Amino acid sequence: MNNPFLVEVTRGNLVESRHRGSVSVVDAEGATVLSIGDVDRRVFPRSAVKALQAMPLVESGIADKYGLTDEEIALACASHSGEPDHAATAKAMLAKAGQDVGCLECGVHWPMGEAANRALAATGGNPSALHNNCSGKHAGFVCLACGQGQNPKGYVLADHPVQRSVREALEEITGACHTVEKSGIDGCSIPTYAIPLPSLAFGFARFGTGSGLPGDGKAAAARIRRAVARYPFMVAGTGRFDTKLMALLGERAFVKVGAEGVYCASLPELGYGVALKIEDGNGRAAEAMMAGLVLRFLSLDIEERRAVEALAQPVLKNWNGIEVGQIRVSSEIKGAA
Amino acid sequence: MNNPFLVEVTRGNLVESRHRGSVSVVDAEGATVLSIGDVDRRVFPRSAVKALQAMPLVESGIADKYGLTDEEIALACASHSGEPDHAATAKAMLAKAGQDVGCLECGVHWPMGEAANRALAATGGNPSALHNNCSGKHAGFVCLACGQGQNPKGYVLADHPVQRSVREALEEITGACHTVEKSGIDGCSIPTYAIPLPSLAFGFARFGTGSGLPGDGKAAAARIRRAVARYPFMVAGTGRFDTKLMALLGERAFVKVGAEGVYCASLPELGYGVALKIEDGNGRAAEAMMAGLVLRFLSLDIEERRAVEALAQPVLKNWNGIEVGQIRVSSEIKGAA
């Protein structure tokens, strides 16, 4: 089936570009709340599931064993901008497990955040793996390995105990089989498993409510959601969508960007999980759609509504600050007014 | 009509993202060579027509009056990376017209090229309008204004003599009416007029051959094509697609990226003009498609073919240099093997 147009980008009076996509909203019992587009097609959740990948670290008690703070737990769920506080926090997590940057296997890239990027260049410095947007998740993996008494070396590989724990946690919470045939290697070198959007949405419905999670899963999910809501800077960074939305709404919306136009969210008060994919992988469209869905489902006061509308329909300005167009979410996403 | 899938991005064994688009290839008499997707929909050519926008500067004799070099003419057609040689060349162009950076109206942004961006930051410097990717085009506009005895102030506005000359040149070469109702403001603040892909392709067929261009149009087009072929670094920059392709093929292919997934080309030996648009505005897909079309239409030797294939089907690597996927152009673009 053809995915519908869900986001358009205007210039002057015309539509310049259009984004198609699919979205699934599911409740914690797995019932469909909303389904648009080809939701059966498997998508790679990649960074959108970092909070779910952090479950074994918290649920096992290893986060407590190492005395990880809420900032550190939030960073374990992050695609951060590589700002100094992000890098320092990842370093501190590693130190708690008796490790350092040398054991990170995520690879090195310059800070994702433009200002952080140039600030680092201005010092004459070079980036380390601590600046990789996934360094917090990886520091969490290293803590998990050390806490389990495993050698962290090779922790990115599918058959290392760390990735086995992570895959089992993902299968448990989403209910979807995670198989090698439907896997790929992520930007930071860990395996990523393609699953359908409704399974992903179901996982986030359960992450948001704890419903049906065995053992200490419910408490672990609540702890992670609280940590991120308290420190939304840690999960993204200055000016970023996830940071802005969670700074605004706190624990009412857990949202997390993934690569290639994937976005996931938990809306705990409704018991809903949300998963969406922009067909072409575009991030601006995924953000606008997520903001549009938050507007649709959550009751917001006037100020909150205005702030989320600005994220759902951002005005586009050029290098002279002149308004040249807008990003707009379709009425299919907005639902009834 | 639905635009077909023309480019896919894989991860592991799966397709992660897909791009739809449209393409028109037309000869210098306006006959259709290839038409895929919804080619009637108007697109904003934006930066893809910089070479056509440079026609009045050269055709009027003003480029010669100021003694503009081939490097400078190539820069007038550029979306450059803001490397030191780009900024210095724009400055030199302005000086020839007795002007300086203060009269540029394109706005300021940090260099588009990552290395240039960080190198500037490392010096403790800040960008000027000379680093704007459009500074060469704008320096050309300033030369045109001064050469015509006009005050350059306001040269970005639709009713300034510079933009009138530019609009007339675009209408002349493409044969398409450029109206205010179908216009928008570009990133650098000049007007951009939406026209259908076949008109754009026709303009580039004529730009590549000079066919039917009145007055000194044919000589001006040839001069611009030669300048860019001699100095492909000036039109883009280190590691950029246009620079690599034209460094490889010289005057056999004039290619120019536009914003939001638009790409144009002239293939003079065939008399063809090419114009394409990725529906969602994605640049990686537009580049792969353009390389795929060059492979389809030009006879290349083994080495050239290998180099262009690498642009049409780039391998995607992650931060550790591990191959994680590929960008692939559909068989509809490749045509018969």
Side-chain angles (χ1 to χ4, degrees):
Chain A
M1 75 184 286
N2 275 319
N3 287 315
F5 291 115
L6 297 178
V7 179
E8 59 187 22
V9 182
T10 69
R11 181 166 301 267
N13 296 322
L14 303 181
V15 173
E16 184 166 23
S17 295
R18 295 173 293 169
H19 300 281
R20 298 167 186 260
S22 47
V23 56
S24 174
V25 182
V26 168
D27 72 18
E29 279 66 54
T32 299
V33 175
L34 177 69
S35 181
I36 299 174
D38 180 6
V39 298
D40 294 329
R41 190 180 174 87
R42 284 168 187 260
V43 305
F44 284 113
R46 299 182 60 187
S47 290
V49 291
K50 280 173 174 169
L52 310 185
Q53 292 169 324
M55 287 284 285
L57 174 67
V58 177
E59 197 176 347
S60 64
I62 291 170
D64 285 332
K65 174 179 169 178
Y66 287 130
L68 296 189
T69 63
D70 277 358
E71 288 100 318
E72 290 165 346
I73 289 174
L75 194 78
C77 307
S79 298
H80 65 71
S81 295
E83 298 177 65
D85 279 355
H86 298 128
T89 303
K91 190 177 174 184
M93 291 172 75
L94 292 167
K96 287 180 175 177
Q99 301 290 340
D100 65 20
V101 59
C103 72
L104 288 181
E105 299 180 359
C106 49
V108 175
H109 64 74
W110 281 85
M112 243 170 60
E114 277 194 48
N117 186 333
R118 286 194 290 267
L120 180 60
T123 67
N126 274 308
S128 74
L130 295 171
H131 297 96
N132 185 308
N133 77 89
C134 302
S135 69
K137 179 180 70 177
H138 281 248
F141 288 156
V142 170
C143 288
L144 181 60
C146 294
Q148 288 175 335
Q150 307 282 347
N151 183 344
K153 195 169 163 52
Y155 72 82
V156 295
L157 301 174
D159 57 0
H160 189 282
V162 162
Q163 295 307 326
R164 288 188 195 197
S165 300
V166 167
R167 189 180 67 244
E168 283 163 19
L170 289 170
E171 290 191 323
E172 171 66 44
I173 200 162
T174 63
C177 186
H178 284 49
T179 68
V180 168
E181 300 82 53
K182 306 288 184 190
S183 76
I185 299 170
D186 210 336
C188 66
S189 294
I190 70 164
T192 177
Y193 301 89
I195 63 173
L197 286 177
S199 301
L200 200 48
F202 180 54
F204 275 90
R206 298 176 85 198
F207 176 73
T209 58
S211 170
L213 298 185
D216 295 323
K218 183 169 182 168
R223 168 118 193 247
I224 292 170
R225 285 187 281 110
R226 193 170 59 241
V228 172
R230 285 187 65 194
Y231 296 99
F233 169 80
M234 281 296 162
V235 87
T238 305
R240 296 269 305 280
F241 182 95
D242 289 344
T243 296
K244 286 196 277 190
L245 195 74
M246 291 195 280
L248 186 74
L249 300 179
E251 288 198 51
R252 297 189 66 198
F254 175 91
V255 292
K256 183 66 187 69
V257 66
E260 291 289 331
V262 172
Y263 238 105
C264 291
S266 298
L267 304 175
E269 70 198 53
L270 301 168
Y272 293 174
V274 180
L276 66 86
K277 161 79 180 168
I278 301 297
E279 179 179 281
D280 59 73
N282 185 283
R284 66 184 174 188
E287 287 186 356
M289 256 177 78
M290 181 51 79
L293 291 165
V294 167
L295 279 174
R296 175 178 181 148
F297 290 114
L298 287 188
S299 291
L300 303 176
D301 67 28
I302 290 175
E303 251 178 73
E304 289 166 342
R305 178 158 286 275
R306 197 172 295 146
V308 182
E309 275 169 356
L311 296 172
Q313 313 220 76
V315 168
L316 302 175
K317 295 184 177 179
N318 75 2
W319 300 116
N320 284 318
I322 299 168
E323 187 174 327
V324 294
Q326 194 174 34
I327 299 177
R328 293 196 298 225
V329 173
S330 78
S331 54
E332 208 171 346
I333 293 299
K334 286 187 205 161
Chain B
M1 77 184 285
N2 275 320
N3 287 315
F5 291 115
L6 296 177
V7 179
E8 58 186 22
V9 181
T10 68
R11 181 167 301 267
N13 296 323
L14 302 181
V15 173
E16 184 167 23
S17 296
R18 295 173 294 168
H19 300 281
R20 299 167 185 260
S22 47
V23 56
S24 173
V25 182
V26 168
D27 72 18
E29 280 66 54
T32 300
V33 176
L34 177 69
S35 181
I36 298 174
D38 179 7
V39 297
D40 295 330
R41 189 181 175 87
R42 284 168 186 262
V43 304
F44 284 112
R46 300 183 60 188
S47 291
V49 292
K50 280 173 173 169
L52 310 185
Q53 292 169 324
M55 287 284 284
L57 174 68
V58 177
E59 196 176 347
S60 64
I62 291 170
D64 285 333
K65 174 179 168 178
Y66 287 130
L68 296 188
T69 63
D70 278 357
E71 287 99 319
E72 290 165 345
I73 289 173
L75 194 78
C77 307
S79 298
H80 65 70
S81 296
E83 299 177 64
D85 278 356
H86 297 128
T89 303
K91 190 176 174 184
M93 291 172 74
L94 291 167
K96 287 180 175 177
Q99 301 290 340
D100 64 20
V101 61
C103 73
L104 288 181
E105 299 180 359
C106 50
V108 175
H109 65 72
W110 281 85
M112 241 169 61
E114 276 193 49
N117 186 332
R118 286 195 290 266
L120 180 59
T123 66
N126 275 307
S128 75
L130 295 171
H131 297 96
N132 185 307
N133 77 88
C134 301
S135 69
K137 178 180 71 176
H138 281 247
F141 288 156
V142 170
C143 288
L144 180 59
C146 295
Q148 288 175 335
Q150 307 281 349
N151 182 344
K153 195 169 161 52
Y155 71 84
V156 295
L157 301 174
D159 57 359
H160 189 282
V162 163
Q163 294 308 326
R164 288 187 196 198
S165 301
V166 167
R167 189 180 67 243
E168 282 163 20
L170 289 170
E171 289 190 323
E172 172 65 45
I173 200 162
T174 63
C177 187
H178 284 48
T179 68
V180 168
E181 301 80 55
K182 306 289 185 191
S183 76
I185 299 171
D186 210 336
C188 65
S189 294
I190 71 164
T192 177
Y193 301 90
I195 64 173
L197 286 177
S199 301
L200 200 48
F202 180 54
F204 275 89
R206 299 175 84 198
F207 176 75
T209 58
S211 169
L213 299 185
D216 295 324
K218 182 169 183 168
R223 170 118 193 249
I224 292 170
R225 284 187 281 109
R226 193 173 58 242
V228 172
R230 285 188 65 194
Y231 297 99
F233 169 80
M234 281 296 161
V235 88
T238 305
R240 297 268 305 278
F241 182 95
D242 289 345
T243 296
K244 286 195 278 190
L245 194 74
M246 292 195 280
L248 186 74
L249 300 179
E251 289 198 51
R252 297 188 67 199
F254 175 90
V255 292
K256 181 67 187 69
V257 66
E260 291 290 332
V262 171
Y263 238 104
C264 290
S266 298
L267 303 175
E269 71 198 52
L270 301 168
Y272 293 174
V274 180
L276 66 86
K277 161 81 180 167
I278 301 297
E279 179 178 280
D280 58 74
N282 186 283
R284 66 183 174 189
E287 287 186 355
M289 255 176 78
M290 182 51 80
L293 291 165
V294 167
L295 279 174
R296 174 177 182 150
F297 289 114
L298 287 187
S299 291
L300 303 176
D301 68 27
I302 290 175
E303 250 177 73
E304 290 166 341
R305 177 157 288 274
R306 196 171 296 147
V308 182
E309 275 169 357
L311 296 172
Q313 314 220 78
V315 168
L316 302 174
K317 295 184 177 179
N318 74 2
W319 300 115
N320 284 319
I322 300 168
E323 188 174 328
V324 294
Q326 195 174 33
I327 299 178
R328 293 195 299 223
V329 173
S330 78
S331 55
E332 207 170 346
I333 292 299
K334 286 188 206 161

